[in-house]
Amino acid sequence: MFAVTTLIAVSFSIGSFRIEEAERPFLYSVLLWIILTFSALSGLARSFVKEEEAGTIDVLKLSARPQAVFLGKLLFNLTLLGALELMIVPSFILLMSYQISFPGFFIAVIISGGLGLGAGTTIIAAMIARASTRGALFSALSLPLLLPLMITCIKGCERAAIGISSAGWPEVKIAVAYFVIMITMSLLLFPLVWEE
Amino acid sequence: MIYKILLTVWMAIIIVAAFLYAEAATGFPGETSRILFFHVPQAWVATLSFLISMIASAVYLAKRRVKADYLAQSAAELGFLFCILATITGSIFAKTTWGAFWNWDPRQTSIVILLMIYGAYFAVRSAVNDPDRRRVFAGVYSILAFVTVPFLVFVVPRITTSLHPENTMNPAHPGMDPKTLKVFLGSLFAYTGLFVWMLRLKIRVLTIEGLREPKFMSRKPDNE
Amino acid sequence: MKEGLTFVMGVNLVIWCGIAFYLFVLDRRIKKLEQTSTDK
């Protein structure tokens, strides 16, 4: 819901012809990632809070290993993100008439960026659920960790749109490396958060 | 006490030497390159303290000794302070050499993200009431944050080119003047000494405060 | 005075102001601790 609202607000106020041709690839990739990140953050924060509020968290603690819980939550979040991207990205491209020179590279950046986004935020969501002030804390904690990923993805989308040579897809590699490292660290650290 | 006196004397010698003994590097307006002796040690101490904070957090998570958490917290706080100082002095230098206080140079970008990360670290600490849980969460966050740092330092600056002087001021660079190198290393040493002194002070304060904490009420509920 | 010297001095001033500020805050915390200990 948040995603659709921001998307409409952005495309309504900016339109597809306000921005000069030369500026477009850069500004569009920034806007796209801002919409994606913030709508993802507003949804993902709920993943563990739900359990805490429903009181099912103790049952989960007894019945499943922490790694399994983490992977389950991660899978759920990634599915959510995938659906979100599937909805936002095509409509963004259509509404803003976003021209992309390398569609393959663009899609790869979007997918790997989504993976990184999910991996970086899941463990933060687990911590938030057990803190006393939840509201703004999730974004405050997630954004600093996500910023390197966001910068990389914005650059990647920009380059895919302009069509600068992208041999080896460096941005995709960085995003995938981020994903792998975040998952490894989360698997190591999650049991500590979970049992506390 | 001896430590304090030695440190003060050493620091005074370094400051005088930085102005009088070492020669200004060429390629910078006037005497501005002398910032090397003051700005770079700040960045070095900031990096060092974040490293210490991360290691101490890992030690706390493994052994659950409160002392390790005190060290992690103190080092993070001091690292934050020195990071701010490095940012401010760096941006003054940017003003005199590049003409603007801030222009999102890759180095500036990464240091701002670093400041945000450690701001968030303190946010974790203030958001959790239960002391034990607070320590675990802060430790976990500290490690997660540290894992993303390589992405900042190595990945982000390479995407765009940097205006930050590297070779002319890099101590490993063979072209560095031997006098400059001497004063520079002495300055690194002096600021590290200052950092250690401040760190021990902070840990002592935390330890005393920890002793005062009422033991029986220490597990406050967080989400009731 | 040579060009740029005031600048380097300014940098120094900023650093020491920062460190002094931190120590000042720390000192106030210590004072507070001392006060509570004499109260008891």
Side-chain angles (χ1 to χ4, degrees):
Chain A
M1 194 55 226
F2 180 84
V4 177
T5 319
T6 34
L7 182 62
I8 290 172
V10 165
S11 70
F12 178 74
S13 53
I14 294 180
S16 51
F17 299 103
R18 290 273 182 85
I19 304 170
E20 277 177 46
E21 199 78 47
E23 304 276 329
R24 257 188 227 171
F26 174 62
L27 279 177
Y28 280 8
S29 65
V30 172
L31 281 174
L32 178 62
W33 276 101
I34 288 177
I35 295 174
L36 277 179
T37 313
F38 281 90
S39 37
L41 286 183
S42 67
L44 298 185
R46 303 276 314 147
S47 57
F48 280 92
V49 176
K50 256 187 318 212
E51 304 282 357
E52 189 87 24
E53 278 171 2
T56 48
I57 203 153
D58 293 323
V59 183
L60 252 176
K61 264 185 195 168
L62 285 175
S63 59
R65 287 176 55 221
Q67 277 89 353
V69 174
F70 176 78
L71 287 177
K73 284 289 175 193
L74 178 70
L75 215 64
F76 173 75
N77 283 348
L78 289 180
T79 321
L80 208 69
L81 270 171
L84 187 82
E85 285 184 340
L86 214 61
M87 190 175 70
I88 299 248
V89 178
S91 40
F92 184 87
I93 292 172
L94 286 178
L95 281 171
M96 312 290 283
S97 59
Y98 193 2
Q99 277 141 6
I100 295 152
S101 313
F102 291 143
F105 180 46
F106 186 83
I107 292 168
V109 171
I110 295 284
I111 291 175
S112 57
L115 288 177
L117 207 62
T121 47
T122 305
I123 188 164
I124 303 284
M127 295 201 324
I128 293 304
R130 326 227 59 202
S132 49
T133 47
R134 282 174 198 153
L137 198 63
F138 183 67
S139 318
L141 298 192
S142 309
L143 279 179
L145 296 185
L146 291 177
L147 259 174
L149 180 75
M150 274 182 79
I151 294 173
T152 313
C153 289
I154 289 171
K155 282 277 164 204
C157 281
E158 185 194 348
R159 280 163 37 126
I162 304 174
I164 308 173
S165 77
S166 56
W169 296 9
E171 277 83 7
V172 178
K173 276 184 192 157
I174 293 171
V176 169
Y178 183 90
F179 172 70
V180 171
I181 288 178
M182 273 304 173
I183 295 227
T184 324
M185 292 316 287
S186 300
L187 280 176
L188 280 173
L189 296 172
F190 183 74
L192 297 171
V193 175
W194 187 238
E195 267 141 36
E196 182 48 55
Chain B
M1 196 59 205
I2 289 249
Y3 183 75
K4 257 194 272 185
I5 294 168
L6 282 179
L7 186 63
T8 316
V9 172
W10 182 249
M11 192 61 103
I13 293 173
I14 287 299
I15 292 176
V16 172
F19 279 100
L20 301 177
Y21 177 69
E23 275 149 29
T26 48
F28 297 94
E31 304 278 310
T32 47
S33 73
R34 288 184 199 278
I35 191 183
L36 163 76
F37 306 119
F38 306 108
H39 167 71
V40 182
Q42 312 299 318
W44 149 252
V45 170
T47 320
L48 178 73
S49 53
F50 288 150
L51 193 68
I52 291 176
S53 177
M54 206 282 287
I55 294 170
S57 299
V59 169
Y60 175 75
L61 291 179
K63 299 246 171 89
R64 301 293 165 110
R65 300 257 162 79
V66 184
K67 262 191 175 170
D69 180 66
Y70 290 157
L71 176 61
Q73 191 187 346
S74 312
E77 217 174 284
L78 283 171
F80 190 64
L81 169 77
F82 282 101
C83 208
I84 291 176
L85 293 178
T87 316
I88 297 174
T89 54
S91 76
I92 304 175
F93 183 64
K95 176 69 182 170
T96 55
T97 51
W98 313 333
F101 283 113
W102 205 259
N103 59 1
W104 291 111
D105 182 79
R107 284 299 176 104
Q108 291 179 328
T109 315
S110 31
I111 208 163
V112 161
I113 301 176
L114 211 60
L115 282 174
M116 280 180 64
I117 287 176
Y118 284 91
Y121 173 81
F122 300 125
V124 179
R125 292 206 87 99
S126 64
V128 185
N129 287 333
D130 181 302
D132 286 333
R133 188 181 286 177
R134 173 167 62 219
R135 290 181 186 124
V136 171
F137 282 16
V140 168
Y141 192 79
S142 168
I143 292 173
L144 280 180
F146 197 84
V147 172
T148 58
V149 168
F151 282 92
L152 299 177
V153 180
F154 301 114
V155 178
V156 178
R158 279 185 196 167
I159 290 179
T160 48
T161 50
S162 174
L163 291 170
H164 197 274
E166 296 284 348
N167 296 328
T168 38
M169 284 190 173
N170 192 340
H173 197 258
M176 199 181 203
D177 185 62
K179 277 185 185 175
T180 313
L181 185 63
K182 255 185 262 172
V183 180
F184 175 67
L185 291 180
S187 175
L188 280 188
F189 188 71
Y191 278 97
T192 312
L194 181 72
F195 163 70
V196 170
W197 174 66
M198 288 168 84
L199 189 66
R200 289 182 51 188
L201 209 62
K202 175 75 195 175
I203 291 173
R204 265 160 63 194
V205 172
L206 282 179
T207 315
I208 296 170
E209 280 179 350
L211 290 176
R212 296 283 174 78
E213 232 170 51
K215 287 271 177 330
F216 298 104
M217 289 160 65
S218 66
R219 282 198 86 89
K220 281 179 214 151
D222 256 311
N223 27 26
E224 232 105 294
Chain C
M1 199 145 65
K2 280 186 199 159
E3 188 208 342
L5 269 187
T6 28
F7 156 75
V8 183
M9 284 179 190
V11 165
N12 250 295
L13 199 68
V14 167
I15 291 171
W16 290 106
C17 280
I19 291 170
F21 174 74
Y22 184 82
L23 288 176
F24 173 73
V25 173
L26 205 62
D27 185 54
R28 283 193 51 175
R29 271 176 83 170
I30 297 172
K31 288 258 167 68
K32 215 183 261 172
L33 278 177
E34 279 172 349
Q35 216 141 48
T36 47
S37 74
T38 47
D39 284 349
K40 276 173 191 171

